[in-house]
Amino acid sequence: MEISFQLKMSSEESLMELGYGDFGCSHYRRRCKIRTPCCDEIFGCRHCHNESKVICSLCATEQDVSKNQYHCNECGICRTGGGENFFHCSKCGCCYSNLLKDSHKCVERAMHHNCPVCFEFLFDTTRDITVLRCGHTIHLECVKEMERHFRYSCPICLKSYCDMSQVWEKLDQEVASTPMPQMYDNKMVWILCNDCGESSEVNFHVLAHKCPNCNSYNTRKTRGGPASYSPGISQMM
């Protein structure tokens, strides 16, 4: 027992006596290391982590210490998310997810402007961006904020950015069940459809005006009364 106790004490003492100078890094002499949460790599200290590259600051590149960042030569800056997951559209002048490669509508310099909702510059934003069906770009969280306020059209071109067919069907029913007084039987107004761009002359109705070309109610009066959007859309939402 005495020999075992002596061996144990000797082992503990030898561990305690290990020199501080033999451990740590050039910044700190200590017997531990850190695993950094951003890249899950092990370093002697936070300064060692910060010295292990990255750089950029638009755009001196370099890389490593990765959040899957990559440098896009066409954009001229670094982006995160992994270069294998994105492609650069030369007409739009920006990088998009590979999921949009064959389906997005090109808009020249699509991200070289401020978000139409929060006004943050989109080209080098670090927040998630979505591409609307019309091709215009906007922060994803800004789109969700619009939806919370029952806005389903692009703030730039006013085209509907999602399938509104069920809403249009409900508006058909509302318009049919709300006949106008006889004095308005022959009242006509000119409308412009925000979705297809066609101008049409249609019967006036207090709820909404339907585009005869594409059946959309995303329209506005241009002649025959005060210019306005169809009021019934937001009510139906």
Side-chain angles (χ1 to χ4, degrees), residues 105-135:
K105 183 176 181 179
C106 286
V107 172
E108 190 171 355
R109 296 175 62 81
M111 288 190 195
H112 294 258
H113 63 84
N114 295 337
C115 172
V117 174
C118 70
F119 302 110
E120 179 186 346
F121 191 58
L122 290 174
F123 184 68
D124 56 6
T125 184
T126 57
R127 294 155 60 193
D128 289 339
I129 290 176
T130 188
V131 183
L132 304 181
R133 294 201 301 188
C134 56

Side-chain angles (χ1 to χ4, degrees), residues 81-148:
E84 71 280 3
N85 300 316
F86 294 86
F87 73 98
H88 183 89
C89 176
S90 56
K91 183 171 182 180
C92 294
C94 51
C95 289
Y96 287 144
S97 166
N98 287 336
L99 298 174
L100 296 173
K101 194 163 189 176
D102 300 317
S103 60
H104 80 285
K105 183 176 181 179
C106 286
V107 172
E108 190 171 355
R109 296 175 62 81
M111 288 190 195
H112 294 258
H113 63 84
N114 295 337
C115 172
V117 174
C118 70
F119 302 110
E120 179 186 346
F121 191 58
L122 290 174
F123 184 68
D124 56 6
T125 184
T126 57
R127 294 155 60 193
D128 289 339
I129 290 176
T130 188
V131 183
L132 304 181
R133 294 201 301 188
C134 56
H136 291 120
T137 54
I138 186 174
H139 285 125
L140 180 59
E141 62 189 72
C142 291
V143 171
K144 293 179 179 178
E145 181 65 22
M146 288 170 54
E147 290 174 350
R148 284 192 285 271

Side-chain angles (χ1 to χ4, degrees), residues 2 27 34 42 92 96 147 152 166 184 186 199 203 226 236:
E2 185 176 347
H27 306 101
I34 62 170
I42 296 174
C92 294
Y96 287 144
E147 290 174 350
Y152 297 92
Q166 292 185 348
Y184 291 104
N186 298 316
S199 292
N203 289 102
M236 287 300 302

Side-chain angles (χ1 to χ4, degrees), residues 11-41:
S11 175
E12 290 177 352
E13 287 173 0
S14 65
L15 286 173
M16 291 295 292
E17 289 171 358
L18 288 173
Y20 281 97
D22 296 331
F23 290 88
C25 61
S26 60
H27 306 101
Y28 298 105
R29 295 301 176 192
R30 59 185 180 184
R31 288 173 288 187
C32 67
K33 295 182 178 181
I34 62 170
R35 184 182 294 278
T36 54
C38 61
C39 56
D40 200 37
E41 298 291 333

Side-chain angles (χ1 to χ4, degrees), residues 5-235:
F5 178 74
Q6 288 176 346
L7 288 172
K8 182 178 180 181
M9 288 294 293
S10 176
S11 175
E12 290 177 352
E13 287 173 0
S14 65
L15 286 173
M16 291 295 292
E17 289 171 358
L18 288 173
Y20 281 97
D22 296 331
F23 290 88
C25 61
S26 60
H27 306 101
Y28 298 105
R29 295 301 176 192
R30 59 185 180 184
R31 288 173 288 187
C32 67
K33 295 182 178 181
I34 62 170
R35 184 182 294 278
T36 54
C38 61
C39 56
D40 200 37
E41 298 291 333
I42 296 174
F43 295 89
C45 72
R46 62 186 176 86
H47 298 295
C48 293
H49 168 268
N50 294 341
E51 290 174 356
S52 64
K53 296 190 201 176
V54 166
I55 309 180
C56 181
S57 289
L58 310 182
C59 187
T61 313
E62 187 118 0
Q63 305 293 313
D64 281 357
V65 185
S66 181
K67 284 190 176 180
N68 290 323
Q69 74 266 20
Y70 67 97
H71 178 79
C72 175
N73 289 325
E74 289 83 359
C75 285
I77 63 173
C78 293
R79 300 189 180 281
T80 59
E84 71 280 3
N85 300 316
F86 294 86
F87 73 98
H88 183 89
C89 176
S90 56
K91 183 171 182 180
C92 294
C94 51
C95 289
Y96 287 144
S97 166
N98 287 336
L99 298 174
L100 296 173
K101 194 163 189 176
D102 300 317
S103 60
H104 80 285
K105 183 176 181 179
C106 286
V107 172
E108 190 171 355
R109 296 175 62 81
M111 288 190 195
H112 294 258
H113 63 84
N114 295 337
C115 172
V117 174
C118 70
F119 302 110
E120 179 186 346
F121 191 58
L122 290 174
F123 184 68
D124 56 6
T125 184
T126 57
R127 294 155 60 193
D128 289 339
I129 290 176
T130 188
V131 183
L132 304 181
R133 294 201 301 188
C134 56
H136 291 120
T137 54
I138 186 174
H139 285 125
L140 180 59
E141 62 189 72
C142 291
V143 171
K144 293 179 179 178
E145 181 65 22
M146 288 170 54
E147 290 174 350
R148 284 192 285 271
H149 292 83
F150 309 111
R151 299 294 181 185
Y152 297 92
S153 59
C154 171
I156 298 174
C157 67
L158 301 179
K159 292 182 184 294
S160 302
Y161 62 75
C162 56
D163 182 8
M164 300 289 286
S165 56
Q166 292 185 348
V167 177
W168 301 158
E169 289 174 4
K170 290 181 180 179
L171 268 171
D172 280 339
Q173 297 170 10
E174 287 291 318
V175 170
S177 62
T178 311
M180 295 294 293
Q182 189 175 0
M183 61 182 292
Y184 291 104
D185 280 351
N186 298 316
K187 181 174 176 57
M188 305 293 288
V189 293
W190 280 91
I191 61 169
L192 173 66
C193 178
N194 295 321
D195 285 338
C196 70
E198 289 291 322
S199 292
S200 309
E201 188 178 26
V202 299
N203 289 102
F204 170 76
H205 199 283
V206 70
L207 286 181
H209 299 112
K210 183 176 183 176
C211 173
N213 184 59
C214 68
N215 297 323
S216 170
Y217 279 98
N218 182 14
T219 62
R220 47 183 164 167
K221 286 184 293 187
T222 57
R223 279 183 283 164
S228 67
Y229 298 111
S230 291
I233 298 176
S234 58
Q235 296 169 5

